[in-house]
Amino acid sequence: NNHPNVSDDTKHRVLSVARRLNYQPHAYAQGLARKRTNTLSVIMPFFTNYFFVEVLQGVQDKVTELGYDLMLHGVNQPDQVDAYLRRATQRGRVDGVLYCSMQLPESYAEKFQQLKLPVVLVDAHHEAFDSITVENTEGAYAATEHLIRQGHTRLGMIDAQLESLPARERLAGFRQAMLDNGLKFNPDHLKISRITKQDGFSREAGYDAMQGFLAMSVDERPTAVFVSSDVQAIGALNALRDAGLRAPDDMAVIGFDDIELARHLGLSTMRQPMYRMGMLAVERIVERLTKPETSPLHMSFSPTLVVRETCGAARQPERGVPAAIAAALPRA
């Protein structure tokens, strides 16, 4: 178990015998010896959302590699958050908690600190706990500016429900890019999801929002649209197709996430490292189990522009936000 009180000589002799006997440690027995459960709790919304599926794949692979078990809690209704957090704080139930894409209630933040129960936030932030996030504002800025560089001046955005922090941050990046490039923000060119399921990050929401743009006259509707997630963008592309239109010929489209389907559909997008974020979250929480007194670590990734067919640009190397722009961007 790499205990610090075991000498190198003893460790060498024990491991030599273990290899000769083909010994495999039993996770549950190890947990008993350490007074741990060898179980991590994952609390996240919407297991069916592509973003969370890819994060969860990274979590699952790393957990399997390290010999831990997972207790999964999918939040479909807001009142479920309290119940799942309450279970996680019951002593001896889990060794740590991965909390994804939701604001951590302050009452439970205090409980976790009192219990010294490790918590890692994914796609969320709290000063008291380790967090792994993506620079949503920067990514939205880069996506919008890319469309502007293709010559578009009538830009639209399809966003999710603004109760979602990523939705608010991506809107801030869109508006800042418009402002910095001398373009006026048109409220009619912003479509906030009317569908509350999955906070509006759904194919149905993207389809509905694009229909709103298509109801405008050709001279009024945007010529290019930034969509706050790939799954919404897929719905938007479906709406264009059903109307006998296509991207980028009739409207350029760029998404956010780079889920696996985006590559197959030729969707230009902003890539965030979903799988890696899941793996890093598990690594961090296991490290905190052995070093509980270390200061919180906040990791943040800049999304990468992936140019494919739907934005109307020739394929070019993937790139992120220029450092000078990133430094000047406001934090939502």
Side-chain angles (χ1 to χ4, degrees):
N1 297 333
N2 288 317
H3 196 283
N5 293 340
V6 178
S7 70
D8 289 341
D9 180 61
T10 299
K11 181 187 295 187
H12 175 74
R13 287 187 288 121
V14 169
L15 292 179
S16 295
V17 174
R19 282 191 294 270
R20 178 162 51 84
L21 298 177
N22 195 29
Y23 169 76
Q24 297 294 324
H26 191 283
Y28 182 70
Q30 285 183 315
L32 290 176
R34 301 174 185 172
K35 296 183 178 179
R36 294 183 189 166
T37 65
N38 272 36
T39 301
L40 303 179
S41 175
V42 178
I43 303 174
M44 64 166 53
F46 324 127
F47 283 164
T48 56
N49 183 289
Y50 290 100
F51 171 84
F52 297 114
V53 167
E54 298 198 26
V55 171
L56 193 55
Q57 186 62 60
V59 169
Q60 179 65 57
D61 287 352
K62 180 55 67 172
V63 159
T64 301
E65 175 189 327
L66 297 177
Y68 278 77
D69 291 322
L70 273 184
M71 185 178 294
L72 298 177
H73 298 295
V75 177
N76 295 312
Q77 301 294 333
D79 58 357
Q80 291 177 317
V81 173
D82 183 76
Y84 294 150
L85 286 172
R86 199 179 323 116
R87 291 183 196 177
T89 56
Q90 292 173 0
R91 190 174 297 277
R93 191 175 181 90
V94 295
D95 294 335
V97 177
L98 302 179
Y99 190 78
C100 302
S101 298
M102 297 175 290
Q103 185 171 345
L104 184 65
E106 281 300 321
S107 59
Y108 280 99
E110 295 174 6
K111 288 182 182 179
F112 284 130
Q113 290 176 301
Q114 292 168 0
L115 294 170
K116 300 188 184 302
L117 184 66
V119 177
V120 173
L121 306 182
V122 180
D123 194 35
H125 181 82
H126 191 291
E127 284 297 328
F129 302 103
D130 298 310
S131 65
I132 301 173
T133 58
V134 165
E135 294 291 345
N136 288 302
T137 305
E138 291 180 15
Y141 189 104
T144 306
E145 188 166 69
H146 176 72
L147 294 175
I148 294 170
R149 286 174 178 172
Q150 305 315 307
H152 295 284
T153 56
R154 290 207 316 269
L155 271 71
M157 180 178 179
I158 294 175
D159 205 357
Q161 294 271 301
L162 295 183
E163 287 77 9
S164 163
L165 178 60
R168 295 198 302 273
E169 291 179 336
R170 292 169 196 179
L171 175 57
F174 172 78
R175 297 190 67 163
Q176 190 66 40
M178 296 276 286
L179 177 65
D180 290 351
N181 285 275
L183 298 178
K184 185 177 180 180
F185 174 76
N186 183 348
D188 292 336
H189 286 174
L190 172 64
K191 299 298 181 186
I192 304 296
S193 173
R194 301 186 299 179
I195 298 173
T196 58
K197 179 184 177 183
Q198 299 186 1
D199 284 344
F201 289 108
S202 68
R203 192 177 311 198
E204 297 85 356
Y207 189 98
D208 178 71
M210 179 56 77
Q211 284 186 314
F213 283 139
L214 296 178
M216 299 177 179
S217 68
V218 175
D219 293 335
E220 293 178 341
R221 72 174 64 136
T223 61
V225 174
F226 165 55
V227 190
S228 62
S229 72
D230 284 352
V231 66
Q232 291 169 280
I234 291 170
L237 291 173
N238 288 342
L240 282 173
R241 181 198 62 199
D242 290 350
L245 305 176
R246 55 184 295 180
D249 298 347
D250 299 292
M251 186 182 293
V253 175
I254 189 167
F256 200 110
D257 285 335
D258 198 29
I259 61 176
E260 187 175 354
L261 275 175
R263 176 168 54 88
H264 297 296
L265 295 175
L267 175 64
S268 297
T269 187
M270 298 303 300
R271 174 181 296 161
Q272 54 177 329
M274 297 164 286
Y275 179 87
R276 187 182 176 199
M277 289 166 70
M279 293 191 71
L280 288 172
V282 175
E283 289 178 357
R284 186 59 189 164
I285 207 164
V286 171
E287 182 179 354
R288 183 158 288 284
L289 286 169
T290 59
K291 301 175 182 178
E293 303 305 322
T294 55
S295 300
L297 177 65
H298 302 293
M299 291 181 277
S300 186
F301 294 93
S302 290
T304 303
L305 175 64
V306 181
V307 176
R308 297 192 179 103
E309 288 80 14
T310 61
C311 65
R315 190 179 295 275
Q316 53 187 256
E318 298 172 2
R319 55 190 173 83
V321 182
I325 295 176
L329 282 175
R331 291 294 181 265

